Amino acid sequence: MPIVRSAKFAVGDIVRHRLFDFRGVIYDIDPIFANSEAWYEAIPIDIRPPKDQPFYHLLAENSENSYVAYVSQQNLVPDDSEIPVSHPSIEQLFHKDSNGGYQLRSRH
């Protein structure tokens, strides 16, 4: 049985990818890899992450696009830029709290 690590980030956290130039807001967390084998095998072997760690669903963006991303914990770092994420689905899933953070809406 794989060793499951604790999630380092939470829903609503803004994170940045460690290797690639994109950032986003976490909207869901899988305790271990839960995507397709084809998706996993498409990752180059030299950067393929182990499956026994949390994987995060992000409303992601880069300088050109907004999209949904699925990223391993080892490849995420906190984004401390204080720049809001402008993904078009943010308003559907989150509302801003009094501190400017993202709180999941009770209904979405």
Side-chain angles (χ1 to χ4, degrees), residues 41-62:
E41 294 295 324
I43 301 169
I45 197 158
D46 58 324
I47 61 170
R48 191 176 298 156
K51 293 180 178 181
D52 66 342
Q53 62 182 304
F55 276 74
Y56 298 84
H57 300 261
L58 307 178
L59 296 178
E61 63 185 15
N62 60 27

Side-chain angles (χ1 to χ4, degrees), residues 30-42:
D30 294 333
I32 59 172
F33 179 80
N35 206 333
S36 71
E37 278 304 307
W39 184 93
Y40 187 75
E41 294 295 324

